């Protein structure tokens, strides 16, 4: 069993993960419109991953006898200046999510909730990866932004994400 506080914060996290999916899908749509199909593919894949993150919390709360309450998902930004802005916002967003996961972990520690700590360990590792990937991508995009052919090559490379 999880506490009411843990149930509430995990419900909020489900909403944040769903919002992340929305946000990345919104970026993908904008990129498709600009014919950056590779970057769009990358963000469509990213959006799917965020849905999986939401489901991990969904399943865990259910498993622990908690109740899922789905709230409205905030409307994401729908248009973006350029590819650099998209990756810049993505990195900032992942840092926000990391902080959010850390806050849940802190609650688990406070409550001696070892089951939740173990469940959250996966997310702690995942966030290291998410931030690292976005940081690297932003650096590459910044370099490529100076030369159109470099940007096109990078777009093709991002299109290969499995
Ligand atoms: Mg996530």
């Amino acid at each position: 069993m999880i506490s009411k506080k843990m149930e509430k914060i995990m419900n909020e996290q489900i909403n944040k993960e769903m919002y992340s999916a929305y946000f990345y899908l919104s970026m993908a749509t904008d990129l498709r419109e600009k014919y950056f199909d590779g970057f769009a593919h990358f963000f469509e894949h990213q959006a799917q991953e965020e849905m999986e993150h939401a489901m991990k919390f969904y399943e865990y709360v259910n498993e622990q006898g908690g109740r899922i309450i789905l709230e409205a998902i905030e409307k994401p930004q729908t248009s973006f200046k350029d590819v650099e802005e998209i990756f810049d916002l993505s990195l900032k967003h992942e840092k926000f999510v990391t902080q959010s996961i850390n806050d849940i972990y802190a609650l688990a520690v406070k409550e001696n909730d070892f089951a939740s700590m173990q469940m959250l360990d996966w997310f702690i590792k995942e966030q290291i990866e998410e931030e690292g990937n976005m940081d690297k991508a932003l650096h590459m995009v910044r370099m490529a932004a100076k030369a159109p052919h470099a940007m096109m090559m990078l777009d093709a490379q991002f299109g290969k994400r499995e």
Side-chain angles (χ1 to χ4, degrees), residues 20-123:
S20 302
Y22 243 43
F23 194 29
Y24 290 136
L25 208 52
S26 188
M27 290 170 175
T29 298
D30 192 60
L31 289 160
R32 286 269 173 214
E33 200 176 76
K34 290 164 181 158
Y35 301 100
F36 282 119
D37 287 340
F39 291 127
H41 169 82
F42 173 87
F43 281 103
E44 283 156 5
H45 193 285
Q46 190 69 28
Q48 259 174 13
E49 267 193 23
E50 301 305 342
M51 291 295 290
E52 285 165 24
H53 293 170
M55 289 310 290
K56 273 186 198 283
F57 279 101
Y58 172 91
E59 280 158 21
Y60 179 74
V61 171
N62 274 324
E63 220 173 60
Q64 290 283 10
R67 174 79 166 96
I68 302 289
I69 305 284
L70 296 175
E71 300 287 349
I73 301 166
E74 193 190 327
K75 184 183 176 180
Q77 183 175 335
T78 51
S79 66
F80 304 86
K81 195 171 127 248
D82 51 26
V83 179
E84 187 179 333
E85 188 194 20
I86 286 177
F87 280 98
D88 187 42
L89 289 172
S90 299
L91 178 59
K92 287 194 177 97
H93 184 69
E94 286 306 327
K95 285 182 176 169
F96 162 77
V97 173
T98 299
Q99 186 54 55
S100 181
I101 298 285
N102 289 349
D103 291 344
I104 306 174
Y105 207 104
L107 178 67
V109 169
K110 198 177 146 207
E111 294 185 339
N112 282 336
D113 180 351
F114 301 108
S116 294
M117 278 185 237
Q118 196 167 66
M119 180 269 187
L120 290 163
D121 280 338
W122 184 88
F123 280 96

